[in-house]
Amino acid sequence: MTVSDIIEFYSQFEERVKRSTIDWRLYKLTQEGILYRQSRGIYSLTEKKKKTYTPEITRSLKILAGKIHNQFPYIDTCLWTTKWLNEFMLHQPGRFYTILEVERDATESVFYALNDLGKEVFLNPSRDILNKYVSHSKSPIIIIPLITEAPIHKVDKVATCSLEKMLVDIYCDPELFSTFQGAELKRIYQTAFSRYNINKAKMLRYADRRTKKAEVELLINLQRNGS
């Protein structure tokens, strides 16, 4: 249905209903999940059928996950790659890196273990290290602490990042994910929400853990409404 259809509907019950009133009601109805915005000026009572996001676990990620598990079988981890963000972007970055999140107390142990295996590994790199070394590495692995209660799941037996977590992380760590900021960040959110089923409540719980709930909620609402 179009905005004109909705105005006509309300006009049956309220004479001279204001357009600003209609716009506010449309906003509230979409926020409450009663109406769904299909495109600019077009709404529906049912949401478009969307896919469930499942990342590709490459052989190299499986091997790395296996090595970590063999040496550290009892720690929680989350393994993923920034290459997964490519499908949501207009400008494709030429370099990618692997993100390995582990329990805070185990970060140094995992770092030294991978370093001994000859991996290009960086522990909590600063902006300077990111610019000078990580950006010029062929296959960098970045180790950072895993946030407790982060929304992770297993794909092909590898504990990895959910789409909800990925979207929150790239906003909350602008230095680490500098390639994905600005207009690209908005595009990533828009594309992700248009293609996949995304659990907004899960996103906001995790964003709250990262003390960015209000900012992430605003970004979600702006992109879902096509702003």
Side-chain angles (χ1 to χ4, degrees):
M1 69 187 79
T2 66
V3 174
S4 296
D5 295 329
I6 295 168
I7 292 173
E8 184 178 344
F9 170 77
Y10 277 114
S11 296
Q12 297 177 58
F13 310 99
E14 303 173 59
E15 292 185 8
R16 300 178 182 177
V17 61
K18 294 181 180 179
R19 176 58 189 265
S20 59
T21 302
I22 296 295
D23 289 341
W24 173 247
R25 289 175 182 173
L26 286 172
Y27 172 78
K28 292 295 291 181
L29 290 169
T30 54
Q31 293 305 299
E32 292 169 7
I34 297 171
L35 279 183
Y36 297 93
R37 188 178 185 278
Q38 303 297 309
S39 60
R40 188 174 295 277
I42 305 294
Y43 295 85
S44 171
L45 291 170
T46 57
E47 191 170 14
K48 288 180 181 178
K49 188 174 182 181
K50 299 176 185 176
K51 299 179 289 184
T52 298
Y53 179 76
T54 304
E56 178 189 4
I57 305 297
T58 61
R59 183 172 179 272
S60 60
L61 284 178
K62 289 180 183 178
I63 291 172
L64 179 58
K67 289 179 178 178
I68 296 166
H69 180 72
N70 288 339
Q71 292 196 50
F72 305 95
Y74 303 112
I75 66 170
D76 291 328
T77 64
C78 178
L79 183 64
W80 60 287
T81 171
T82 58
K83 189 174 184 179
W84 293 344
L85 291 163
N86 264 28
E87 73 163 289
F88 307 114
M89 301 175 68
L90 176 62
H91 302 101
Q92 304 290 298
R95 291 183 179 274
F96 317 102
Y97 39 87
T98 298
I99 303 293
L100 173 58
E101 301 174 58
V102 301
E103 293 175 28
R104 186 175 295 275
D105 292 342
T107 53
E108 288 194 7
S109 298
V110 174
F111 169 78
Y112 288 118
L114 292 180
N115 192 60
D116 289 343
L117 292 174
K119 302 293 185 182
E120 293 181 292
V121 58
F122 301 87
L123 176 60
N124 275 329
S126 64
R127 178 188 293 182
D128 191 49
I129 296 299
L130 287 167
N131 292 334
K132 287 184 178 179
Y133 302 104
V134 176
S135 62
H136 300 294
S137 299
K138 185 177 180 180
S139 302
I141 300 171
I142 296 177
I143 297 177
I144 57 177
L146 176 64
I147 305 294
T148 56
E149 299 180 33
I152 60 177
H153 59 163
K154 283 197 173 184
V155 178
D156 290 342
K157 299 181 180 180
V158 175
T160 191
C161 195
S162 66
L163 182 54
E164 289 86 356
K165 180 181 185 304
M166 201 185 317
L167 292 173
V168 172
D169 284 343
I170 62 175
Y171 174 80
C172 292
D173 294 310
E175 289 190 0
L176 180 57
F177 302 109
S178 58
T179 304
F180 313 106
Q181 301 306 305
E184 284 294 357
L185 180 66
K186 294 178 181 179
R187 186 181 301 276
I188 289 168
Y189 268 65
Q190 284 179 336
T191 308
F193 272 94
S194 67
R195 290 182 183 175
Y196 296 103
N197 287 313
I198 296 177
N199 188 322
K200 180 181 173 181
K202 182 189 291 187
M203 276 190 72
L204 293 179
R205 282 196 300 272
Y206 179 55
D208 195 31
R209 297 288 300 170
R210 306 212 58 182
T211 69
K212 298 289 185 181
K213 180 179 179 180
E215 297 97 312
V216 170
E217 185 168 26
L218 177 60
L219 183 58
I220 290 172
N221 290 338
L222 286 174
Q223 304 323 308
R224 290 179 73 183
N225 292 327
S227 300

